[in-house]
Amino acid sequence: MTINPSTLVDLSHKLDSNVQIYPGDPLFSCTPHTTVAKDGYSVHTLTLGSHTGTHIDAPSHFFPDGQTIDQIPLSSLITPLVVVDLTSRELQDRQTITWSDIEGASEHMSPDVALVLRTGWSAFWGTPRYFSHPFLSRDAAAKIFDRGVRVLGVDTLSPDETSYDGVGGEQGFGVHEVILGGGGIIAENLNLGGLMNQNMIALVPLNLEGCDGSPVRAFAWKD
Ligand SMILES: [Zn+2]
């Protein structure tokens, strides 16, 4: 496999002090521990949750006996990419994405691909609207899973509705339960703003022993 650099696109949001955090999760910080001026070399202290920024969820995020991030084979995270582009639908805040919205891509759903839902919500990163993202129905997640998909990615904070300020969250964590419960992986906060016709994706996490998720530097390229 060779990667043509001219087709590479970064699918990661920048981790900075403005990174949008799932309600209740640890805040992110990256602060100087030593500096070149004072110590002769620069080192930073990172403080973050395992689900900060563009990241993946391991099955153990919801299921104690599920695979942890260090147990997921890299081969399942460097994989052909299938994008379901919903941007022309002009999805509304907190709109449910149903099976009928994505059924047209069903022939491309298989165990050999990462399926990524493109809602257009990357454009709202950094704004309050980012939390009011569209979300997948549990039923649609089950149908995706039935077709063999084991890696599901979204350009939103979660594939489930995000309960924020007491609003929303009726189906709970239905999509997480279906995908992670079956041993699959979920990628969240993908930045799909620059995605064109790339057909491969890499979602490589840190090798964190026993952990339930990890930030990733997600990227895609055209094979
Ligand atoms: Zn997560």
Side-chain angles (χ1 to χ4, degrees):
M1 180 175 70
T2 43
I3 297 177
N4 179 347
S6 70
T7 70
L8 261 180
V9 58
D10 193 344
L11 306 182
S12 303
H13 288 293
K14 191 166 285 193
L15 287 175
D16 59 23
S17 57
N18 298 316
V19 63
Q20 285 185 296
I21 302 290
Y22 194 86
D25 271 17
L27 299 180
F28 172 82
S29 72
C30 178
T31 53
H33 175 68
T34 65
T35 64
V36 173
K38 197 162 147 288
D39 308 286
Y41 57 92
S42 172
V43 172
H44 281 68
T45 301
L46 288 170
T47 307
L48 74 171
S50 48
H51 298 258
T52 298
T54 304
H55 72 275
I56 60 172
D57 295 356
S60 71
H61 185 31
F62 276 77
F63 299 92
D65 295 333
Q67 265 188 328
T68 52
I69 203 78
D70 52 313
Q71 295 172 335
I72 299 168
L74 283 180
S75 56
S76 60
L77 300 171
I78 303 172
T79 179
L81 167 67
V82 169
V83 179
V84 182
D85 196 331
L86 300 165
T87 52
S88 63
R89 309 283 182 89
E90 296 185 4
L91 296 167
Q92 302 301 303
D93 289 19
R94 298 186 180 277
Q95 183 171 332
T96 306
I97 300 165
T98 64
W99 176 245
S100 66
D101 293 318
I102 59 176
E103 192 176 7
S106 82
E107 65 178 296
H108 302 296
M109 297 178 190
S110 82
D112 305 323
V113 304
L115 186 78
V116 167
L117 303 181
R118 186 181 202 176
T119 69
W121 235 250
S122 295
F124 303 123
W125 176 256
T127 76
R129 197 176 176 190
Y130 194 70
F131 292 94
S132 301
H133 58 84
F135 58 95
L136 192 62
S137 73
R138 184 190 181 108
D139 168 71
K143 290 190 164 75
I144 289 169
F145 190 85
D146 286 347
R147 281 154 183 80
V149 172
R150 295 296 177 265
V151 181
L152 173 67
V154 290
D155 57 358
T156 58
L157 197 59
S158 172
D160 286 301
E161 186 170 15
T162 296
S163 182
Y164 191 61
D165 291 343
V167 181
E170 267 179 35
Q171 76 170 8
F173 294 104
V175 177
H176 279 82
E177 288 164 5
V178 166
I179 303 295
L180 302 180
I185 311 295
I186 297 173
E188 294 163 332
N189 293 324
L190 292 170
N191 180 1
L192 302 183
L195 189 67
M196 292 187 291
N197 60 351
Q198 285 80 3
N199 60 356
M200 294 290 294
I201 191 168
L203 299 161
V204 179
L206 298 177
N207 198 0
L208 297 167
E209 185 179 16
C211 203
D212 43 67
S214 170
V216 297
R217 187 67 180 257
F219 58 92
W221 68 98
K222 176 111 176 71
D223 192 29

PDB file of all heavy atoms in Angstrom, residues 130-164:
ATOM      1  N   TYR A 130     -22.978  22.771  17.623  1.00  0.00           N
ATOM      2  CA  TYR A 130     -22.303  21.468  17.477  1.00  0.00           C
ATOM      3  C   TYR A 130     -22.954  20.406  18.377  1.00  0.00           C
ATOM      4  O   TYR A 130     -22.989  19.228  18.020  1.00  0.00           O
ATOM      5  CB  TYR A 130     -20.809  21.607  17.785  1.00  0.00           C
ATOM      6  CG  TYR A 130     -20.010  20.411  17.331  1.00  0.00           C
ATOM      7  CD1 TYR A 130     -19.810  20.163  15.969  1.00  0.00           C
ATOM      8  CD2 TYR A 130     -19.482  19.509  18.251  1.00  0.00           C
ATOM      9  CE1 TYR A 130     -19.101  19.052  15.538  1.00  0.00           C
ATOM     10  CE2 TYR A 130     -18.761  18.406  17.828  1.00  0.00           C
ATOM     11  CZ  TYR A 130     -18.574  18.176  16.478  1.00  0.00           C
ATOM     12  OH  TYR A 130     -17.878  17.068  16.056  1.00  0.00           O
ATOM     13  N   PHE A 131     -23.470  20.846  19.533  1.00  0.00           N
ATOM     14  CA  PHE A 131     -24.063  19.902  20.488  1.00  0.00           C
ATOM     15  C   PHE A 131     -25.467  19.450  20.058  1.00  0.00           C
ATOM     16  O   PHE A 131     -25.983  18.466  20.560  1.00  0.00           O
ATOM     17  CB  PHE A 131     -24.142  20.537  21.883  1.00  0.00           C
ATOM     18  CG  PHE A 131     -22.791  20.757  22.509  1.00  0.00           C
ATOM     19  CD1 PHE A 131     -22.140  21.979  22.390  1.00  0.00           C
ATOM     20  CD2 PHE A 131     -22.155  19.729  23.187  1.00  0.00           C
ATOM     21  CE1 PHE A 131     -20.890  22.173  22.959  1.00  0.00           C
ATOM     22  CE2 PHE A 131     -20.906  19.917  23.763  1.00  0.00           C
ATOM     23  CZ  PHE A 131     -20.269  21.140  23.645  1.00  0.00           C
ATOM     24  N   SER A 132     -26.080  20.181  19.132  1.00  0.00           N
ATOM     25  CA  SER A 132     -27.450  19.860  18.696  1.00  0.00           C
ATOM     26  C   SER A 132     -27.425  19.046  17.402  1.00  0.00           C
ATOM     27  O   SER A 132     -28.267  19.213  16.527  1.00  0.00           O
ATOM     28  CB  SER A 132     -28.242  21.156  18.496  1.00  0.00           C
ATOM     29  OG  SER A 132     -28.284  21.900  19.682  1.00  0.00           O
ATOM     30  N   HIS A 133     -26.465  18.179  17.303  1.00  0.00           N
ATOM     31  CA  HIS A 133     -26.222  17.441  16.055  1.00  0.00           C
ATOM     32  C   HIS A 133     -27.335  16.432  15.741  1.00  0.00           C
ATOM     33  O   HIS A 133     -28.018  15.943  16.651  1.00  0.00           O
ATOM     34  CB  HIS A 133     -24.879  16.709  16.181  1.00  0.00           C
ATOM     35  CG  HIS A 133     -24.826  15.773  17.353  1.00  0.00           C
ATOM     36  ND1 HIS A 133     -25.309  14.490  17.307  1.00  0.00           N
ATOM     37  CD2 HIS A 133     -24.364  15.947  18.619  1.00  0.00           C
ATOM     38  CE1 HIS A 133     -25.132  13.905  18.482  1.00  0.00           C
ATOM     39  NE2 HIS A 133     -24.573  14.760  19.304  1.00  0.00           N
ATOM     40  N   PRO A 134     -27.480  16.100  14.457  1.00  0.00           N
ATOM     41  CA  PRO A 134     -28.348  14.983  14.085  1.00  0.00           C
ATOM     42  C   PRO A 134     -27.753  13.688  14.639  1.00  0.00           C
ATOM     43  O   PRO A 134     -26.569  13.650  14.977  1.00  0.00           O
ATOM     44  CB  PRO A 134     -28.304  14.960  12.551  1.00  0.00           C
ATOM     45  CG  PRO A 134     -27.523  16.145  12.130  1.00  0.00           C
ATOM     46  CD  PRO A 134     -26.764  16.660  13.306  1.00  0.00           C
ATOM     47  N   PHE A 135     -28.555  12.661  14.712  1.00  0.00           N
ATOM     48  CA  PHE A 135     -28.053  11.393  15.276  1.00  0.00           C
ATOM     49  C   PHE A 135     -28.761  10.228  14.612  1.00  0.00           C
ATOM     50  O   PHE A 135     -29.850  10.358  14.065  1.00  0.00           O
ATOM     51  CB  PHE A 135     -28.252  11.375  16.795  1.00  0.00           C
ATOM     52  CG  PHE A 135     -29.684  11.558  17.220  1.00  0.00           C
ATOM     53  CD1 PHE A 135     -30.488  10.466  17.480  1.00  0.00           C
ATOM     54  CD2 PHE A 135     -30.217  12.836  17.329  1.00  0.00           C
ATOM     55  CE1 PHE A 135     -31.813  10.634  17.854  1.00  0.00           C
ATOM     56  CE2 PHE A 135     -31.548  13.011  17.698  1.00  0.00           C
ATOM     57  CZ  PHE A 135     -32.345  11.914  17.958  1.00  0.00           C
ATOM     58  N   LEU A 136     -28.113   9.090  14.692  1.00  0.00           N
ATOM     59  CA  LEU A 136     -28.597   7.887  14.029  1.00  0.00           C
ATOM     60  C   LEU A 136     -29.622   7.183  14.923  1.00  0.00           C
ATOM     61  O   LEU A 136     -29.462   7.146  16.143  1.00  0.00           O
ATOM     62  CB  LEU A 136     -27.389   6.969  13.792  1.00  0.00           C
ATOM     63  CG  LEU A 136     -27.548   5.769  12.875  1.00  0.00           C
ATOM     64  CD1 LEU A 136     -27.904   6.201  11.451  1.00  0.00           C
ATOM     65  CD2 LEU A 136     -26.247   4.956  12.866  1.00  0.00           C
ATOM     66  N   SER A 137     -30.639   6.580  14.287  1.00  0.00           N
ATOM     67  CA  SER A 137     -31.583   5.783  15.086  1.00  0.00           C
ATOM     68  C   SER A 137     -30.928   4.461  15.456  1.00  0.00           C
ATOM     69  O   SER A 137     -30.050   3.952  14.761  1.00  0.00           O
ATOM     70  CB  SER A 137     -32.872   5.527  14.306  1.00  0.00           C
ATOM     71  OG  SER A 137     -32.644   4.579  13.279  1.00  0.00           O
ATOM     72  N   ARG A 138     -31.376   3.922  16.553  1.00  0.00           N
ATOM     73  CA  ARG A 138     -30.861   2.615  16.993  1.00  0.00           C
ATOM     74  C   ARG A 138     -31.151   1.548  15.938  1.00  0.00           C
ATOM     75  O   ARG A 138     -30.313   0.689  15.657  1.00  0.00           O
ATOM     76  CB  ARG A 138     -31.540   2.250  18.333  1.00  0.00           C
ATOM     77  CG  ARG A 138     -31.015   0.965  18.910  1.00  0.00           C
ATOM     78  CD  ARG A 138     -31.852   0.489  20.101  1.00  0.00           C
ATOM     79  NE  ARG A 138     -31.258  -0.732  20.615  1.00  0.00           N
ATOM     80  CZ  ARG A 138     -30.603  -0.809  21.768  1.00  0.00           C
ATOM     81  NH1 ARG A 138     -30.475   0.228  22.541  1.00  0.00           N
ATOM     82  NH2 ARG A 138     -30.068  -1.949  22.149  1.00  0.00           N
ATOM     83  N   ASP A 139     -32.339   1.641  15.348  1.00  0.00           N
ATOM     84  CA  ASP A 139     -32.739   0.672  14.326  1.00  0.00           C
ATOM     85  C   ASP A 139     -31.799   0.726  13.117  1.00  0.00           C
ATOM     86  O   ASP A 139     -31.379  -0.314  12.603  1.00  0.00           O
ATOM     87  CB  ASP A 139     -34.177   0.983  13.883  1.00  0.00           C
ATOM     88  CG  ASP A 139     -34.558   0.214  12.638  1.00  0.00           C
ATOM     89  OD1 ASP A 139     -34.722  -1.019  12.751  1.00  0.00           O
ATOM     90  OD2 ASP A 139     -34.664   0.825  11.555  1.00  0.00           O
ATOM     91  N   ALA A 140     -31.440   1.939  12.701  1.00  0.00           N
ATOM     92  CA  ALA A 140     -30.520   2.068  11.556  1.00  0.00           C
ATOM     93  C   ALA A 140     -29.151   1.510  11.911  1.00  0.00           C
ATOM     94  O   ALA A 140     -28.501   0.851  11.086  1.00  0.00           O
ATOM     95  CB  ALA A 140     -30.418   3.528  11.132  1.00  0.00           C
ATOM     96  N   ALA A 141     -28.711   1.746  13.148  1.00  0.00           N
ATOM     97  CA  ALA A 141     -27.420   1.202  13.578  1.00  0.00           C
ATOM     98  C   ALA A 141     -27.441  -0.323  13.525  1.00  0.00           C
ATOM     99  O   ALA A 141     -26.469  -0.961  13.097  1.00  0.00           O
ATOM    100  CB  ALA A 141     -27.092   1.685  14.988  1.00  0.00           C
ATOM    101  N   ALA A 142     -28.570  -0.904  13.955  1.00  0.00           N
ATOM    102  CA  ALA A 142     -28.678  -2.365  13.941  1.00  0.00           C
ATOM    103  C   ALA A 142     -28.621  -2.905  12.512  1.00  0.00           C
ATOM    104  O   ALA A 142     -28.002  -3.940  12.249  1.00  0.00           O
ATOM    105  CB  ALA A 142     -29.968  -2.794  14.628  1.00  0.00           C
ATOM    106  N   LYS A 143     -29.236  -2.177  11.575  1.00  0.00           N
ATOM    107  CA  LYS A 143     -29.231  -2.634  10.182  1.00  0.00           C
ATOM    108  C   LYS A 143     -27.835  -2.511   9.578  1.00  0.00           C
ATOM    109  O   LYS A 143     -27.401  -3.340   8.778  1.00  0.00           O
ATOM    110  CB  LYS A 143     -30.275  -1.864   9.371  1.00  0.00           C
ATOM    111  CG  LYS A 143     -31.708  -2.246   9.753  1.00  0.00           C
ATOM    112  CD  LYS A 143     -32.711  -1.660   8.772  1.00  0.00           C
ATOM    113  CE  LYS A 143     -34.083  -2.315   8.889  1.00  0.00           C
ATOM    114  NZ  LYS A 143     -34.849  -1.883  10.065  1.00  0.00           N
ATOM    115  N   ILE A 144     -27.130  -1.434   9.940  1.00  0.00           N
ATOM    116  CA  ILE A 144     -25.740  -1.275   9.498  1.00  0.00           C
ATOM    117  C   ILE A 144     -24.894  -2.433  10.033  1.00  0.00           C
ATOM    118  O   ILE A 144     -24.114  -3.052   9.313  1.00  0.00           O
ATOM    119  CB  ILE A 144     -25.171   0.080  10.012  1.00  0.00           C
ATOM    120  CG1 ILE A 144     -25.806   1.247   9.259  1.00  0.00           C
ATOM    121  CG2 ILE A 144     -23.644   0.118   9.884  1.00  0.00           C
ATOM    122  CD1 ILE A 144     -25.496   2.611   9.877  1.00  0.00           C
ATOM    123  N   PHE A 145     -25.097  -2.728  11.319  1.00  0.00           N
ATOM    124  CA  PHE A 145     -24.335  -3.813  11.955  1.00  0.00           C
ATOM    125  C   PHE A 145     -24.665  -5.161  11.307  1.00  0.00           C
ATOM    126  O   PHE A 145     -23.776  -5.981  11.051  1.00  0.00           O
ATOM    127  CB  PHE A 145     -24.637  -3.846  13.460  1.00  0.00           C
ATOM    128  CG  PHE A 145     -23.727  -4.756  14.218  1.00  0.00           C
ATOM    129  CD1 PHE A 145     -22.488  -4.321  14.654  1.00  0.00           C
ATOM    130  CD2 PHE A 145     -24.099  -6.070  14.480  1.00  0.00           C
ATOM    131  CE1 PHE A 145     -21.627  -5.166  15.339  1.00  0.00           C
ATOM    132  CE2 PHE A 145     -23.252  -6.925  15.164  1.00  0.00           C
ATOM    133  CZ  PHE A 145     -22.017  -6.473  15.596  1.00  0.00           C
ATOM    134  N   ASP A 146     -25.950  -5.377  10.999  1.00  0.00           N
ATOM    135  CA  ASP A 146     -26.379  -6.632  10.363  1.00  0.00           C
ATOM    136  C   ASP A 146     -25.702  -6.836   9.015  1.00  0.00           C
ATOM    137  O   ASP A 146     -25.517  -7.967   8.575  1.00  0.00           O
ATOM    138  CB  ASP A 146     -27.896  -6.641  10.144  1.00  0.00           C
ATOM    139  CG  ASP A 146     -28.660  -6.856  11.433  1.00  0.00           C
ATOM    140  OD1 ASP A 146     -28.018  -7.242  12.441  1.00  0.00           O
ATOM    141  OD2 ASP A 146     -29.877  -6.612  11.436  1.00  0.00           O
ATOM    142  N   ARG A 147     -25.353  -5.740   8.362  1.00  0.00           N
ATOM    143  CA  ARG A 147     -24.684  -5.852   7.069  1.00  0.00           C
ATOM    144  C   ARG A 147     -23.177  -6.028   7.219  1.00  0.00           C
ATOM    145  O   ARG A 147     -22.438  -6.018   6.236  1.00  0.00           O
ATOM    146  CB  ARG A 147     -25.047  -4.658   6.193  1.00  0.00           C
ATOM    147  CG  ARG A 147     -26.436  -4.867   5.573  1.00  0.00           C
ATOM    148  CD  ARG A 147     -27.160  -3.591   5.214  1.00  0.00           C
ATOM    149  NE  ARG A 147     -28.490  -3.933   4.696  1.00  0.00           N
ATOM    150  CZ  ARG A 147     -29.546  -4.245   5.460  1.00  0.00           C
ATOM    151  NH1 ARG A 147     -29.430  -4.305   6.783  1.00  0.00           N
ATOM    152  NH2 ARG A 147     -30.707  -4.548   4.920  1.00  0.00           N
ATOM    153  N   GLY A 148     -22.732  -6.130   8.452  1.00  0.00           N
ATOM    154  CA  GLY A 148     -21.337  -6.512   8.691  1.00  0.00           C
ATOM    155  C   GLY A 148     -20.423  -5.388   9.123  1.00  0.00           C
ATOM    156  O   GLY A 148     -19.276  -5.635   9.499  1.00  0.00           O
ATOM    157  N   VAL A 149     -20.910  -4.147   9.075  1.00  0.00           N
ATOM    158  CA  VAL A 149     -20.034  -3.011   9.400  1.00  0.00           C
ATOM    159  C   VAL A 149     -19.611  -3.081  10.869  1.00  0.00           C
ATOM    160  O   VAL A 149     -20.442  -3.268  11.755  1.00  0.00           O
ATOM    161  CB  VAL A 149     -20.748  -1.666   9.124  1.00  0.00           C
ATOM    162  CG1 VAL A 149     -19.927  -0.493   9.629  1.00  0.00           C
ATOM    163  CG2 VAL A 149     -21.044  -1.526   7.634  1.00  0.00           C
ATOM    164  N   ARG A 150     -18.298  -2.936  11.110  1.00  0.00           N
ATOM    165  CA  ARG A 150     -17.777  -2.982  12.478  1.00  0.00           C
ATOM    166  C   ARG A 150     -17.050  -1.695  12.872  1.00  0.00           C
ATOM    167  O   ARG A 150     -16.580  -1.579  14.002  1.00  0.00           O
ATOM    168  CB  ARG A 150     -16.828  -4.185  12.633  1.00  0.00           C
ATOM    169  CG  ARG A 150     -17.522  -5.521  12.470  1.00  0.00           C
ATOM    170  CD  ARG A 150     -18.557  -5.742  13.573  1.00  0.00           C
ATOM    171  NE  ARG A 150     -19.286  -6.995  13.412  1.00  0.00           N
ATOM    172  CZ  ARG A 150     -20.464  -7.098  12.799  1.00  0.00           C
ATOM    173  NH1 ARG A 150     -21.066  -6.030  12.277  1.00  0.00           N
ATOM    174  NH2 ARG A 150     -21.075  -8.264  12.727  1.00  0.00           N
ATOM    175  N   VAL A 151     -16.926  -0.760  11.932  1.00  0.00           N
ATOM    176  CA  VAL A 151     -16.346   0.552  12.253  1.00  0.00           C
ATOM    177  C   VAL A 151     -17.305   1.609  11.708  1.00  0.00           C
ATOM    178  O   VAL A 151     -17.518   1.712  10.499  1.00  0.00           O
ATOM    179  CB  VAL A 151     -14.943   0.733  11.632  1.00  0.00           C
ATOM    180  CG1 VAL A 151     -14.375   2.105  12.009  1.00  0.00           C
ATOM    181  CG2 VAL A 151     -14.000  -0.376  12.086  1.00  0.00           C
ATOM    182  N   LEU A 152     -17.898   2.381  12.629  1.00  0.00           N
ATOM    183  CA  LEU A 152     -18.858   3.423  12.249  1.00  0.00           C
ATOM    184  C   LEU A 152     -18.290   4.774  12.677  1.00  0.00           C
ATOM    185  O   LEU A 152     -17.946   4.957  13.849  1.00  0.00           O
ATOM    186  CB  LEU A 152     -20.202   3.172  12.953  1.00  0.00           C
ATOM    187  CG  LEU A 152     -21.254   4.274  12.772  1.00  0.00           C
ATOM    188  CD1 LEU A 152     -21.719   4.355  11.316  1.00  0.00           C
ATOM    189  CD2 LEU A 152     -22.451   4.033  13.708  1.00  0.00           C
ATOM    190  N   GLY A 153     -18.197   5.710  11.741  1.00  0.00           N
ATOM    191  CA  GLY A 153     -17.674   7.042  12.058  1.00  0.00           C
ATOM    192  C   GLY A 153     -18.720   8.112  11.829  1.00  0.00           C
ATOM    193  O   GLY A 153     -19.585   7.979  10.962  1.00  0.00           O
ATOM    194  N   VAL A 154     -18.635   9.170  12.638  1.00  0.00           N
ATOM    195  CA  VAL A 154     -19.551  10.307  12.482  1.00  0.00           C
ATOM    196  C   VAL A 154     -18.784  11.620  12.605  1.00  0.00           C
ATOM    197  O   VAL A 154     -17.747  11.693  13.266  1.00  0.00           O
ATOM    198  CB  VAL A 154     -20.697  10.275  13.529  1.00  0.00           C
ATOM    199  CG1 VAL A 154     -21.664   9.137  13.240  1.00  0.00           C
ATOM    200  CG2 VAL A 154     -20.160  10.171  14.951  1.00  0.00           C
ATOM    201  N   ASP A 155     -19.334  12.670  11.983  1.00  0.00           N
ATOM    202  CA  ASP A 155     -18.726  14.008  12.066  1.00  0.00           C
ATOM    203  C   ASP A 155     -19.417  14.829  13.152  1.00  0.00           C
ATOM    204  O   ASP A 155     -19.514  16.053  13.056  1.00  0.00           O
ATOM    205  CB  ASP A 155     -18.782  14.707  10.705  1.00  0.00           C
ATOM    206  CG  ASP A 155     -20.203  14.829  10.157  1.00  0.00           C
ATOM    207  OD1 ASP A 155     -21.155  14.349  10.811  1.00  0.00           O
ATOM    208  OD2 ASP A 155     -20.360  15.403   9.058  1.00  0.00           O
ATOM    209  N   THR A 156     -19.921  14.125  14.163  1.00  0.00           N
ATOM    210  CA  THR A 156     -20.632  14.762  15.274  1.00  0.00           C
ATOM    211  C   THR A 156     -20.025  14.294  16.599  1.00  0.00           C
ATOM    212  O   THR A 156     -19.182  13.402  16.626  1.00  0.00           O
ATOM    213  CB  THR A 156     -22.126  14.384  15.249  1.00  0.00           C
ATOM    214  OG1 THR A 156     -22.234  12.957  15.314  1.00  0.00           O
ATOM    215  CG2 THR A 156     -22.800  14.882  13.985  1.00  0.00           C
ATOM    216  N   LEU A 157     -20.514  14.882  17.684  1.00  0.00           N
ATOM    217  CA  LEU A 157     -20.021  14.558  19.020  1.00  0.00           C
ATOM    218  C   LEU A 157     -20.309  13.110  19.391  1.00  0.00           C
ATOM    219  O   LEU A 157     -19.609  12.509  20.205  1.00  0.00           O
ATOM    220  CB  LEU A 157     -20.680  15.516  20.019  1.00  0.00           C
ATOM    221  CG  LEU A 157     -20.111  15.707  21.405  1.00  0.00           C
ATOM    222  CD1 LEU A 157     -18.669  16.201  21.344  1.00  0.00           C
ATOM    223  CD2 LEU A 157     -20.974  16.699  22.177  1.00  0.00           C
ATOM    224  N   SER A 158     -21.361  12.560  18.796  1.00  0.00           N
ATOM    225  CA  SER A 158     -21.792  11.197  19.122  1.00  0.00           C
ATOM    226  C   SER A 158     -22.726  10.729  18.018  1.00  0.00           C
ATOM    227  O   SER A 158     -23.403  11.544  17.392  1.00  0.00           O
ATOM    228  CB  SER A 158     -22.536  11.212  20.464  1.00  0.00           C
ATOM    229  OG  SER A 158     -23.132   9.960  20.720  1.00  0.00           O
ATOM    230  N   PRO A 159     -22.813   9.411  17.772  1.00  0.00           N
ATOM    231  CA  PRO A 159     -23.844   8.925  16.839  1.00  0.00           C
ATOM    232  C   PRO A 159     -25.215   8.897  17.516  1.00  0.00           C
ATOM    233  O   PRO A 159     -26.233   8.758  16.846  1.00  0.00           O
ATOM    234  CB  PRO A 159     -23.370   7.513  16.495  1.00  0.00           C
ATOM    235  CG  PRO A 159     -22.585   7.086  17.684  1.00  0.00           C
ATOM    236  CD  PRO A 159     -21.953   8.328  18.261  1.00  0.00           C
ATOM    237  N   ASP A 160     -25.237   8.983  18.852  1.00  0.00           N
ATOM    238  CA  ASP A 160     -26.485   9.105  19.610  1.00  0.00           C
ATOM    239  C   ASP A 160     -26.727  10.577  19.931  1.00  0.00           C
ATOM    240  O   ASP A 160     -25.800  11.396  19.904  1.00  0.00           O
ATOM    241  CB  ASP A 160     -26.388   8.318  20.923  1.00  0.00           C
ATOM    242  CG  ASP A 160     -26.463   6.824  20.719  1.00  0.00           C
ATOM    243  OD1 ASP A 160     -27.480   6.356  20.164  1.00  0.00           O
ATOM    244  OD2 ASP A 160     -25.504   6.123  21.100  1.00  0.00           O
ATOM    245  N   GLU A 161     -27.980  10.882  20.267  1.00  0.00           N
ATOM    246  CA  GLU A 161     -28.288  12.261  20.619  1.00  0.00           C
ATOM    247  C   GLU A 161     -27.525  12.671  21.878  1.00  0.00           C
ATOM    248  O   GLU A 161     -27.398  11.890  22.827  1.00  0.00           O
ATOM    249  CB  GLU A 161     -29.806  12.413  20.851  1.00  0.00           C
ATOM    250  CG  GLU A 161     -30.213  13.857  21.082  1.00  0.00           C
ATOM    251  CD  GLU A 161     -31.721  14.046  21.082  1.00  0.00           C
ATOM    252  OE1 GLU A 161     -32.463  13.063  21.178  1.00  0.00           O
ATOM    253  OE2 GLU A 161     -32.143  15.217  20.970  1.00  0.00           O
ATOM    254  N   THR A 162     -27.003  13.885  21.876  1.00  0.00           N
ATOM    255  CA  THR A 162     -26.289  14.390  23.043  1.00  0.00           C
ATOM    256  C   THR A 162     -27.245  15.148  23.942  1.00  0.00           C
ATOM    257  O   THR A 162     -27.841  16.133  23.525  1.00  0.00           O
ATOM    258  CB  THR A 162     -25.127  15.309  22.601  1.00  0.00           C
ATOM    259  OG1 THR A 162     -24.183  14.531  21.855  1.00  0.00           O
ATOM    260  CG2 THR A 162     -24.441  15.925  23.810  1.00  0.00           C
ATOM    261  N   SER A 163     -27.397  14.634  25.145  1.00  0.00           N
ATOM    262  CA  SER A 163     -28.252  15.302  26.131  1.00  0.00           C
ATOM    263  C   SER A 163     -27.483  16.486  26.690  1.00  0.00           C
ATOM    264  O   SER A 163     -26.399  16.330  27.225  1.00  0.00           O
ATOM    265  CB  SER A 163     -28.608  14.317  27.241  1.00  0.00           C
ATOM    266  OG  SER A 163     -29.467  14.925  28.162  1.00  0.00           O
ATOM    267  N   TYR A 164     -28.062  17.658  26.510  1.00  0.00           N
ATOM    268  CA  TYR A 164     -27.357  18.868  26.910  1.00  0.00           C
ATOM    269  C   TYR A 164     -28.359  19.851  27.473  1.00  0.00           C
ATOM    270  O   TYR A 164     -29.409  20.076  26.873  1.00  0.00           O
ATOM    271  CB  TYR A 164     -26.645  19.467  25.686  1.00  0.00           C
ATOM    272  CG  TYR A 164     -25.678  20.572  26.012  1.00  0.00           C
ATOM    273  CD1 TYR A 164     -24.583  20.336  26.831  1.00  0.00           C
ATOM    274  CD2 TYR A 164     -25.865  21.843  25.494  1.00  0.00           C
ATOM    275  CE1 TYR A 164     -23.687  21.354  27.115  1.00  0.00           C
ATOM    276  CE2 TYR A 164     -24.972  22.862  25.768  1.00  0.00           C
ATOM    277  CZ  TYR A 164     -23.888  22.609  26.592  1.00  0.00           C
ATOM    278  OH  TYR A 164     -23.006  23.609  26.871  1.00  0.00           O
TER     279      TYR A 164
END
